[in-house]
Amino acid sequence: MTRPLTATIDIRAMRHNFSVVRSSVPNAKAWAVVKADAYGHGLERAVRAFSDADGLALIEIDHAIDLRKNGWRKPILLLEGFFNADELPELAEHDISFAIANDEQMAILEKAALSKPVDVHLKMNTGMNRLGYQPSGYRAAYERLSRIPSVKRISCMTHFANSEDPGHLKLPVTEQLRRFDMATEGLPGERNLSNSAGILLHPHIRTDWVRPGIMLYGGTPGGKTAEEFGLIPAMSLDSEIIQIQHIRKGDSVGYGSLFTAETDMAIGVVACGYADGYPRVAPEGTPVIVDGVRTRLVGRVSMDMLTVDLTPVRNAHIGSRVNLWGKELPIEEVAAAAGTVGYELMCALSSRPQIIEQD
């Protein structure tokens, strides 16, 4: 008998969400970001869903090469660039563009003997303080890069730290744009700027390329719900009640006996745990949907099971359907209860749930 835990991946929803990108920034080209196995949705499914994208962007070099070998002919961008000199010849051979973010990568590229010229996205650190050149050194880096014979085209790229918070006081998007514009003034090449929040909350930003990620999968970068943005969740995690325990006032539930019943009640045991990708840190009160009725998590999430309060669910029984996140329950609500973001839950989905594909 198959364990009743399924992850439904809706390719139609992914296509719809990409159409929201097009309508939000109609004058920009779009990289569909498919890193981390397309945020847990499956790279092969993402390729089908985002066939209309102008390019695919990811981190994993081996996956980028596989995309080429499997027939993707449009541009591919490696967002972190390369890591070793021996990777460069294959990237050039497969026409895979990449970011350059520091002098070490620049020096490797200068020494490389490549069979084909490459497109490079020069990364600027405008305040995120992860990858990229400081604005004060960016022009010199651009000029150095332009002198490398194997470089075909240079694009200018940065990443917003707080685009989901238009009123951010410490580092607003406007300040990052000011730094970027000053450092790139007069430099040729396309601009590669907005992420999902930039697309949805700052569509006025002038950019040649955008990089939608979480929005493609029906998650929200903040500010509004996914539904308010016109997005459709592409992943639903569903299970069933596999046991019902009728406990008395004062009885406890699960490891550590963290939950104690304040009255006689029914507890539903659900076939899903942290080994499946559900967050172990999810606290009592995390929302769960049972037979279409909203209820709550009680007790500690274990490796293979979690427990829910069946008090509001009339006629609950073994086999009752449980939605842990998806179209009935926004993943952001579960993530917020667990003190994280929907991105993490998507990417943490394990290989144990049975995958059901909708197309």
Side-chain angles (χ1 to χ4, degrees):
M1 184 176 178
T2 303
R3 185 166 176 251
L5 179 64
T6 61
T8 302
I9 308 299
D10 189 342
I11 294 176
R12 293 169 298 181
M14 294 161 71
R15 290 194 186 101
H16 166 82
N17 296 334
F18 185 79
S19 75
V20 176
V21 176
R22 290 294 196 209
S23 62
S24 299
V25 284
N27 297 321
K29 292 177 286 187
W31 299 103
V33 179
V34 295
K35 61 184 178 177
D37 197 28
Y39 289 52
H41 293 69
L43 184 58
E44 185 274 334
R45 296 183 193 94
V47 170
R48 285 187 279 135
F50 308 137
S51 60
D52 289 339
D54 300 291
L56 300 177
L58 66 170
I59 301 295
E60 303 85 358
I61 292 175
D62 55 340
H63 291 175
I65 293 171
D66 286 342
L67 286 171
R68 279 286 184 251
K69 291 180 177 179
N70 290 327
W72 182 265
R73 294 292 172 255
K74 297 180 186 180
I76 298 173
L77 171 61
L78 290 170
L79 295 166
E80 291 182 1
F82 58 89
F83 304 99
N84 299 293
D86 58 4
E87 295 164 342
L88 271 174
E90 197 164 14
L91 296 183
E93 179 63 28
H94 291 287
D95 192 24
I96 295 171
S97 58
F98 48 82
I100 288 283
N102 54 60
D103 284 343
E104 288 71 21
Q105 287 178 315
M106 186 87 74
I108 292 172
L109 183 57
E110 285 174 324
K111 297 174 184 177
L114 304 179
S115 61
K116 300 179 182 177
V118 293
D119 291 340
V120 176
H121 291 244
L122 186 63
K123 189 75 175 281
M124 187 190 303
N125 174 16
T126 54
M128 186 75 163
N129 287 321
R130 295 192 311 188
L131 300 179
Y133 286 89
Q134 292 290 338
S136 59
Y138 190 82
R139 189 171 296 269
Y142 186 102
E143 292 172 354
R144 180 181 174 186
L145 188 59
S146 67
R147 292 193 293 268
I148 300 176
S150 58
V151 172
K152 181 169 51 176
R153 284 186 292 265
I154 303 172
S155 296
C156 300
M157 176 181 177
T158 195
H159 192 69
F160 297 133
N162 302 302
S163 50
E164 75 283 359
D165 182 3
H168 198 278
L169 298 178
K170 189 172 184 179
L171 186 64
V173 167
T174 52
E175 173 58 19
Q176 287 193 261
L177 280 172
R178 185 192 68 81
R179 297 174 186 179
F180 182 85
D181 289 342
M182 286 186 65
T184 59
E185 185 177 3
L187 295 179
E190 294 184 315
R191 270 51 177 167
N192 179 355
L193 295 176
S194 296
N195 54 7
S196 290
I199 293 165
L200 293 169
L201 298 174
H202 310 271
H204 59 279
I205 291 174
R206 295 178 62 186
T207 179
D208 299 295
W209 287 87
V210 293
R211 303 186 304 274
I214 190 67
M215 68 179 292
L216 296 178
Y217 308 98
T220 174
K224 300 179 182 178
T225 65
E227 185 177 5
E228 288 175 308
F229 281 126
L231 303 171
I232 301 174
M235 176 191 290
S236 292
L237 185 63
D238 296 281
S239 187
E240 294 179 2
I241 300 293
I242 59 172
Q243 178 79 54
I244 295 177
Q245 296 289 350
H246 296 277
I247 65 175
R248 295 187 178 279
K249 179 180 179 179
D251 287 347
S252 58
V253 175
Y255 287 117
S257 299
L258 297 184
F259 173 79
T260 300
E262 296 181 353
T263 186
D264 295 355
M265 63 186 298
I267 296 293
V269 182
V270 181
C272 183
Y274 61 77
D276 302 297
Y278 195 89
R280 183 179 183 273
V281 296
E284 177 186 334
T286 299
V288 179
I289 305 292
V290 178
D291 282 344
V293 178
R294 189 182 183 94
T295 185
R296 59 179 179 137
L297 183 75
V298 294
R300 177 175 287 163
V301 175
S302 57
M303 181 179 288
D304 310 304
M305 290 171 279
L306 54 84
T307 44
V308 299
D309 178 7
L310 292 180
T311 302
V313 189
R314 305 181 72 177
N315 303 317
H317 57 276
I318 291 177
S320 285
R321 187 174 61 84
V322 179
N323 179 238
L324 297 162
W325 64 66
K327 291 183 174 67
E328 293 181 78
L329 177 61
I331 195 170
E332 289 80 15
E333 286 194 46
V334 181
T340 185
V341 291
Y343 303 67
E344 182 177 358
L345 301 190
M346 291 178 186
C347 295
L349 187 71
S350 79
S351 60
R352 299 207 313 177
Q354 176 188 357
I355 299 296
I356 298 175
E357 186 178 294
Q358 292 182 343
D359 193 358

